[in-house]
Amino acid sequence: MTRTYQLAVIGGDGIGPDVTRAALDGVQAAAEHFGFAVETTGFDLGADAYLRTGVALDEGTTERLRAHDAILLGAVGDPRVTPGVLERGLIVALRVAFRQSVNIRPVRLYPGVTSPVTAVTPDNCDLVIIRENTEGLYTGGGSTTHPGTANAVATQTSITTVQATTEAVEFAFRLAAARRKKLTLCHKTNILTHAGQLWQDVVDEVGARFPDVDRDYVHADAMCQHLPLDPGRFDVVVTDNLFGDIISDLGATVQGGLGLAASANHNPAGTAPSMFEPVHGSAPDIAGTGWANPAAAALSAALCLATLGERDAALALEASAASVLAELPALAGPRMGATTAELGRRIADRVADVDPAKIGDPGRSLMSALAGLAPTGRR
């Protein structure tokens, strides 16, 4: 019996629909070659839908999304909508509703791609940042008194719980055990003494169950120095929501730019769908031009296949996207020499023949590790 996966597709805003269509070309090619099926359902969510209805996400849509095995998200954000409305009302809302407590951000420099940091090479840049994805300062708690006056006072509440922290830390240790057996906690324990101590306590408790995984600690500000200068020092980095947001974008720069950065909003227990999105945003200034590079969307789709347990398909899609990147004269804009759709077809055409070993040992790949940790609760 053919394995069939139900994918919800939220193209979203700006370049989101274009890069998502290109990524789906690769997913369908991988499904055909590796013997499974993918059925997609589109969801009209994003700026246009919000401007029509005044609602970013309703309960009925949430429940329809819940019935799927995974969600591919293109991008959200539009200058017609106040910043934060869609980000909180759609993306953060889905992360919380579907207990996507783990954000996965690979930082990998692929062969043929040049990092702006001269000492970084594919041999010393292959790490993954695991970010707690539902708490911290992103919970939305806070208030402003006397707004718009010289006496205005704003407070923003950060929430850290053992439950969500443990989910992120346990996943990070399992991932580290499947990779190079090294985990780094990134926080600010010298200033955020209460939250930082909770994180350290959880890392110590969970780490005792993984004696083969070496542990260390780096302050968040020090990480901003170490990551670009010596990315090879790190394998799996686990951190809180805000710090993870910042250092993962720094990691994206190290690996060649935000336009190459993939991400997963992951439910590690498999009790609800995980959501996969490129990090580059909606780029409304180039929407419809064909100048968007779909590689990050394709790499996010590869993460999706890996978390569904389709290891070989994920490795092939990743390697296909990497091989196309290596040939481009520029990583974005008209100087790429091909449109978004053309690059998507080029990636898809290579899935059946590409050799994942040409970009590194498949056994050490994040895709292999994620496939080995794929939850089974939804299948």
Side-chain angles (χ1 to χ4, degrees):
M1 183 176 178
T2 301
R3 303 181 304 281
T4 301
Y5 301 101
Q6 301 293 331
L7 297 189
V9 179
I10 305 172
D13 304 320
I15 64 173
D18 290 342
V19 297
T20 302
R21 280 192 295 270
L24 281 170
D25 286 345
V27 171
Q28 294 290 358
E32 181 177 344
H33 183 69
F34 290 98
F36 58 94
V38 171
E39 296 179 353
T40 62
T41 304
F43 284 79
D44 180 19
L45 295 169
D48 287 341
Y50 174 78
L51 291 171
R52 284 197 315 271
T53 66
V55 177
L57 179 71
D58 60 49
E59 185 175 346
T61 302
T62 301
E63 292 311 303
R64 289 194 297 275
L65 286 164
R66 188 185 297 276
H68 293 75
D69 294 299
I71 303 166
L72 296 185
L73 171 65
V76 297
D78 188 289
R80 298 172 296 168
V81 179
T82 302
V85 170
L86 295 173
E87 292 82 354
R88 284 193 175 278
L90 180 56
I91 297 177
V92 175
L94 287 174
R95 289 173 179 173
V96 173
F98 295 154
R99 292 195 59 81
Q100 295 166 352
S101 59
V102 172
N103 186 273
I104 304 170
R105 284 286 296 270
V107 179
R108 182 176 184 183
L109 181 64
Y110 290 106
V113 177
T114 301
S115 170
V117 185
T118 56
V120 175
T121 69
D123 292 332
N124 70 359
C125 184
D126 183 6
L127 63 136
V128 58
I129 296 169
I130 300 299
R131 163 190 171 194
E132 195 288 315
N133 207 33
T134 59
E135 292 188 344
L137 284 165
Y138 291 68
T139 54
S143 65
T144 302
T145 58
H146 311 299
T149 74
N151 296 316
V153 177
T155 61
Q156 196 82 38
T157 304
S158 179
I159 302 296
T160 305
T161 69
V162 167
Q163 180 180 8
T165 303
T166 299
E167 285 183 2
V169 169
E170 283 188 338
F171 185 83
F173 268 104
R174 292 170 64 203
L175 190 60
R179 282 173 53 90
R180 299 200 305 274
K181 295 181 171 52
K182 182 172 183 179
L183 179 138
T184 300
L185 170 62
C186 174
H187 210 279
K188 193 66 176 166
T189 55
N190 57 339
I191 299 297
L192 304 177
T193 53
H194 297 289
Q197 189 60 56
L198 188 151
W199 271 87
Q200 187 64 66
D201 289 346
V202 171
V203 167
D204 291 343
E205 179 182 348
V206 175
R209 305 201 300 269
F210 293 86
D212 294 337
V213 176
D214 293 331
R215 287 176 268 157
D216 70 348
Y217 171 84
V218 176
H219 285 320
D221 49 346
M223 174 64 79
C224 293
Q225 178 182 23
H226 295 310
L227 180 54
L229 294 180
D230 186 18
R233 168 179 173 172
F234 304 106
D235 179 24
V236 176
V237 177
V238 66
T239 188
D240 91 330
N241 210 338
L242 178 61
F243 296 142
D245 198 359
I246 295 168
I247 66 170
S248 58
D249 278 7
L250 175 60
T253 299
V254 172
Q255 73 179 108
L258 275 177
L260 308 185
S263 77
N265 301 285
H266 188 45
N267 176 317
T271 57
S274 297
M275 181 167 64
F276 304 84
E277 58 175 318
V279 177
H280 49 56
S282 61
D285 57 319
I286 62 169
T289 64
W291 295 349
N293 190 333
L299 292 169
S300 299
L303 291 174
C304 175
L305 294 178
T307 61
L308 292 172
E310 297 293 344
R311 172 186 179 271
D312 293 342
L315 286 169
L317 184 53
E318 178 190 30
S320 297
S323 71
V324 170
L325 284 171
E327 298 170 353
L328 296 181
L331 295 178
R335 292 193 301 119
M336 291 190 299
T339 67
T340 306
E342 288 168 346
L343 291 174
R345 288 192 293 271
R346 197 177 296 178
I347 292 170
D349 288 344
R350 299 183 185 188
V351 165
D353 301 318
V354 72
D355 180 5
K358 289 188 176 179
I359 65 167
D361 180 2
R364 294 180 57 185
S365 168
L366 173 62
M367 302 301 169
S368 294
L370 289 176
L373 300 178
T376 59
R378 294 182 59 79
R379 301 306 305 162

